[in-house]
Amino acid sequence: PSRDSRPAWHDALAGATAGAGARLLTAPLDLLKIRLQLSSVTPTLSSSVGAAAAPAESLPSVLSAVLRESGFRGLFRGNVSATYLWVTYAAVQFAAYGRVTDFLHRIPPPSEDARLPARFLRSVADD
């Protein structure tokens, strides 16, 4: 079907599906990123005076710790609320994009006189 005959909820459903899929694929990476951020040592007064900071954990060590503590399902801990956010955001974004492109396609092309400034600027930029 053409864009004009397709209801906005089709775009929203496509966006929601894309958002859920994207979150499902990136959830383990996001969890590992957050664990790495939390494991890094924040500078304190004592470390700024001369004490050496402890090295941050590595990605493989954090991954093995999560798998050891919680198993494979632990990589998706806390995923439900983030999925709601991604689904909502992507649904609104896809629906808005569909409506805006429909609107822009209905605008008639500019007349030949209106294109002259753009041609002039393009020719100046090409030199």
Side-chain angles (χ1 to χ4, degrees):
S2 71
R3 272 193 112 25
D4 293 333
S5 66
R6 188 173 60 227
W9 68 267
H10 284 197
D11 291 329
L13 181 62
T17 305
R23 180 61 194 169
L24 180 68
L25 293 174
T26 60
L29 296 174
D30 195 37
L31 178 103
L32 294 174
K33 175 197 69 145
I34 291 169
R35 292 274 182 109
L36 283 169
Q37 288 172 336
L38 292 175
S39 73
S40 65
V41 177
T42 56
T44 62
L45 182 60
S46 63
S47 66
S48 64
V49 172
E57 292 186 63
S58 67
L59 182 64
S61 66
V62 171
L63 176 61
S64 65
V66 170
L67 292 174
R68 186 175 51 254
E69 294 167 8
S70 308
F72 182 74
R73 290 182 65 185
L75 292 172
F76 296 91
R77 181 176 289 153
N79 193 34
V80 173
S81 58
T83 301
Y84 288 144
L85 173 71
W86 282 49
V87 164
T88 305
Y89 172 76
V92 169
Q93 186 179 26
F94 274 52
Y97 178 81
R99 298 309 103 197
V100 169
T101 55
D102 287 347
F103 172 76
L104 292 176
H105 284 134
R106 285 194 296 265
I107 296 175
S111 66
E112 196 63 34
D113 292 336
R115 294 182 190 175
L116 288 177
R119 281 191 194 160
F120 173 74
L121 291 174
R122 193 176 316 127
S123 67
V124 169
D126 287 340
D127 289 339

